[in-house]
Amino acid sequence: MNNGNRANGARRQLSVWEKAQRRMKYYRLQALQPIRWLAYETGQTKYVPPPDRMYIESTNICNLNCIMCPTGLKQIVRPKGYMDFDVFKQIVDEMAPWVRATTLHIWGEPLLHPRIFEMVEYCRKKGLRSEISTNATLLTEEKSKRLLDAGLDAIYLSIDGLRPETYENIRVRADFERTNANIRRFVELKVEGNYPTYVNIQIIKMKQTLDEIHDFVREWSIPGVDRINVKAFDTWAGQIDEIAQLSPNGEKRLPKRWACPNLWYHVHIYWDGSIAMCDRDFNLAFPLGNVIDEDGKVRVMKNWNGPLMQELRRRHLENDLDDVVPCNTCTEWAWWKPAPFFAQGNRPAEENTPVRLNGDGPVVIGLTEVES
């Protein structure tokens, strides 16, 4: 390892003060968890604590046409653009003390945003854990170094398939060899520079990938990879037949419907400041306001507990959803139900148990008994 990499790695490790601040924040937010859970369990619609997690759409523009994605199938018709950096800073300024982490993506490819590295740096400055998910096609060595140096806390590197033909038929317009090389170089740079960025290698569980998952996990169990995420297939509330048909799961018997926890736990902010109920409302069929107020100032919590969000929470509590798109066709609400000290909503609960296929390898999430 050369001296430059060693210096960068040391510089980007958390300082003692930063670690202490994060630890204090952790305990403070952990104490807030049962209060948030109580608000959910008792059906509070107005006085809901700040969300546990924040999703920020840096851009909804993408360079691929993936077959399991509404963007790739040209189903997202709302305007395209990039989040203004000043709006982003105001969002972080208000919410950093209250949320555990923020992703810098919802729809679109975050590496297309010209100031994505500054966004990561600003989150670090404000003590906010930042994460991105990327298709890695644009993850050059230069961009990899900039992300690592900026202090990115976690990255999801998506490569859906172990064989070139599988991957390129799913990630349309991507090149298997180039993406693999980008990801491996990112992991190498992390190890060489001793960066703390948590690396997730991700494959979506779908009909096309099912017979490759086990070998995929073996292939990517390499030094520098912290977790392999076998991602549950999301039908995006069953709104697009071409996507729903890719699901590896048959019809599932759903429990009696409960209110979707997203409305109490996660805030989704699109690039133009619009608030969505979750990413499944990709065309804002049910708008919930805009964080950019009439005076130009950003106010997230005003909308989080505003009248539109209160009304949607009420309708979920009363199961009055027949005309609420996309809630009226969604099944992913059944993936999770929060507990007093734990809330995890991006996969079915039964697929949330971490396993290790070897003692010193990465944690694997999402493997079923058959696959493991």
Side-chain angles (χ1 to χ4, degrees), residues 43-247:
Q44 177 60 248
T45 63
K46 184 175 182 180
Y47 300 108
V48 176
D52 183 59
R53 189 172 180 86
M54 179 165 64
Y55 294 81
I56 295 176
E57 183 181 72
S58 51
T59 180
N60 63 342
I61 299 170
C62 191
N63 60 322
L64 299 185
N65 293 328
C66 302
I67 63 174
M68 68 296 186
C69 177
T71 299
L73 295 178
K74 312 302 182 193
Q75 295 294 313
I76 297 184
V77 297
R78 60 187 168 90
K80 296 187 181 301
Y82 302 92
M83 178 169 281
D84 178 81
F85 190 61
D86 183 62
V87 169
F88 169 80
K89 289 196 298 181
Q90 289 187 64
I91 292 171
V92 172
D93 289 347
E94 180 182 355
M95 301 305 292
W98 302 107
V99 298
R100 291 180 183 272
T102 186
T103 69
L104 302 180
H105 66 275
I106 300 180
W107 297 104
E109 169 51 52
L111 292 183
L112 286 170
H113 196 292
R115 304 188 72 172
I116 190 65
F117 311 106
E118 293 171 80
M119 288 177 163
V120 173
E121 285 182 322
Y122 196 76
C123 287
R124 181 187 172 103
K125 176 182 175 183
K126 293 295 180 176
L128 176 60
R129 179 180 174 86
S130 66
E131 305 175 0
I132 66 168
S133 178
T134 173
N135 59 43
T137 59
L138 305 175
L139 191 64
T140 62
E141 182 165 339
E142 178 189 0
K143 290 179 180 177
S144 294
K145 290 178 179 177
R146 292 186 68 183
L147 284 173
L148 291 166
D149 280 338
L152 183 68
D153 289 283
I155 189 168
Y156 291 81
L157 298 161
S158 301
I159 180 161
D160 296 301
L162 186 62
R163 298 190 290 265
E165 57 271 24
T166 303
Y167 171 80
E168 291 175 4
N169 284 330
I170 293 172
R171 297 274 175 175
V172 178
R173 297 178 63 188
D175 180 274
F176 178 79
E177 297 299 337
R178 181 179 300 170
T179 305
N180 263 269
N182 288 348
I183 292 175
R184 290 185 183 277
R185 186 56 183 148
F186 182 93
V187 175
E188 288 172 358
L189 289 168
K190 173 205 166 173
V191 173
E192 290 171 4
N194 193 29
Y195 290 94
T197 303
Y198 195 88
V199 173
N200 301 267
I201 302 293
Q202 183 165 282
I203 183 171
I204 297 176
K205 187 185 297 185
M206 50 198 298
K207 287 179 179 178
Q208 288 86 339
T209 64
L210 276 182
D211 65 349
E212 299 181 25
I213 288 175
H214 189 79
D215 289 337
F216 180 95
V217 171
R218 294 290 185 190
E219 178 72 17
W220 285 103
S221 294
I222 60 175
V225 173
D226 299 289
R227 185 170 79 172
I228 298 175
N229 186 33
V230 182
K231 186 179 180 184
F233 188 83
D234 200 319
T235 69
W236 308 116
Q239 298 174 87
I240 304 170
D241 289 340
E242 297 97 309
I243 293 178
Q245 291 168 7
L246 303 175
S247 174

Side-chain angles (χ1 to χ4, degrees), residues 251-262:
E251 290 290 328
K252 284 192 172 182
R253 187 180 183 88
L254 296 176
K256 182 179 179 181
R257 184 149 192 167
W258 57 73
C260 182
N262 267 313

